[in-house]
Amino acid sequence: MSVPRQFIRCARLFTGLEDQVRHAQTLVVENGSSARYYLDCDLDAQLDTPNLGLIDVGSSSIGRNTNASRWFGGEIDELRVWNRALDDAEIAQLCPTPDPLDVGLEMHWTFEDRVGNSITDVSGKGRTGTVVGGAGFVNSFKGQAISLDGIDDKVTFTGPRALDLYGGSSGDMTFTARVRVPNVVKYN
């Protein structure tokens, strides 16, 4: 799973995104045909475009777009993916600090739960992440976040490749993470 183009586009749409400030970014896809973008749990943008769900292309990574020349440079913390579209009340539960929403949770990386370059999936689904390219870890409000350089750092993952992780048969999914970018202009 790459960070969806729509999630990266989400950073471009957010008018409140600031340099060096951590923000909760959430992408909710419904029926594979519409998306809601939230910045710090407030609805920021909507997009009605078909084929928004993730596609299982046989490899998965966080920090690199499907275009090999697009790398994310910044910090990611509290990355979670659900196999359903969270509603507004559930999104509100994510702020100011993420609250456990276990129903349909398919992957959850806190970045504190790791051994060496292996990041534990605390959802219990076994989707262990592997740090590639020399990414480091930095202090965050909850403990640790991963810091990607925007050049060659990413996190790949193994484990069960379930349809639910990519929007399932319904096309519903939610992808959320707390991110901080050093240069917002690069993403606008």
Side-chain angles (χ1 to χ4, degrees), residues 2-32:
S2 297
V3 174
R5 271 192 318 267
Q6 292 75 17
F7 193 70
I8 297 300
R9 187 182 318 157
C10 164
R12 292 186 205 128
L13 295 173
F14 290 141
T15 56
L17 200 60
E18 304 168 55
D19 287 350
Q20 301 297 337
V21 176
R22 281 189 173 77
H23 291 282
Q25 290 189 3
T26 303
L27 167 68
V28 178
V29 177
E30 294 178 284
N31 301 315

Side-chain angles (χ1 to χ4, degrees), residues 1 55-60 127 157-163 165-166:
M1 163 180 54
I55 299 170
D56 184 354
V57 294
S59 65
S60 303
R127 295 185 174 98
F157 73 87
T158 58
R161 301 193 67 81
L163 180 61
L165 188 61
Y166 301 94

